[in-house]
Amino acid sequence: MAAMTEDMQRVVREQRLAYVATVTPDGMPNLSPKGTIAVWDDEHLVFADIRSPRTVNNLRLFPAVEINVVDPILRKGYRFQGTATTLHDGPLFEQIVLFYHDRGVRNPIRSIVLIKVDRAMPLISPVYDLGLTEDEVRARWQRHWESLAYGIADEPTGE
């Protein structure tokens, strides 16, 4: 059975931004956004180390990782827990670097982080507990983001 459903993969493909949680050498949490998150296959996520020296160092010492990907409009997403492997060379490294080049990444890639997803769970805003539909949540947050773009004060309620 695949670790990630088609919907989980869709959210990762559409959002392309993730928050990666690792543990530092002194046991402190480290959270870092990754704009290159991608689905590699049904059981793996991947991101490119473009400017992630702390994250990569943390994963070398403690390969356990959690990745959160959330649609900021629908306020839904997924959390993925797994084990990371850092690739610096070799055929798989080259294949994944080519994948990113084909996606338009032009920054130098220092390494690739491949995550074996062991567990995946939904993230759903408590605003849905109030009975709001996806369409209502979408409309609320689209208004909010549009207000920011036009400099108009608009604060969504809830959450």
Side-chain angles (χ1 to χ4, degrees):
M1 184 170 118
M4 292 183 289
T5 66
E6 179 52 42
D7 190 61
M8 292 172 184
Q9 294 179 43
R10 176 193 61 78
V11 170
V12 173
R13 281 192 307 270
E14 289 176 0
Q15 295 309 309
R16 297 174 74 167
L17 176 64
Y19 295 90
V20 175
T22 61
V23 178
T24 66
D26 59 355
M28 297 299 294
N30 182 70
L31 185 66
S32 183
K34 302 296 174 215
T36 59
I37 193 69
V39 173
W40 185 245
D41 59 31
D42 289 350
E43 296 182 352
H44 294 87
L45 294 173
V46 64
F47 66 85
D49 167 17
I50 293 172
R51 196 180 296 161
S52 302
R54 286 189 207 115
T55 300
V56 169
N57 185 55
N58 293 343
L59 291 171
R60 280 191 199 119
L61 298 171
F62 307 108
V65 63
E66 180 167 317
I67 298 171
N68 287 201
V69 181
V70 178
D71 180 324
I73 301 291
L74 289 182
R75 313 306 265 192
K76 288 183 176 183
Y78 293 96
R79 59 191 294 183
F80 303 97
Q81 295 174 338
T83 305
T85 302
T86 304
L87 307 171
H88 300 282
D89 55 28
L92 184 55
F93 171 83
E94 296 299 331
Q95 184 181 2
I96 297 172
V97 167
L98 182 59
F99 164 81
Y100 279 112
H101 287 169
D102 288 346
R103 284 181 74 170
V105 174
R106 296 295 171 245
N107 302 74
I109 296 174
R110 299 177 196 183
S111 61
I112 294 296
V113 178
L114 183 68
I115 300 98
K116 169 72 169 81
V117 176
D118 299 317
R119 188 171 181 207
M121 298 153 288
L123 288 170
I124 302 172
S125 168
V127 75
Y128 288 98
D129 296 344
L130 301 174
L132 272 67
T133 66
E134 280 190 358
D135 287 340
E136 291 167 325
V137 172
R138 178 184 297 111
R140 176 184 285 191
W141 284 99
Q142 283 177 328
R143 281 193 309 271
H144 171 72
W145 292 111
E146 288 170 7
S147 74
L148 291 176
Y150 295 109
I152 303 166
D154 176 49
E155 288 290 324
T157 57
E159 296 180 275

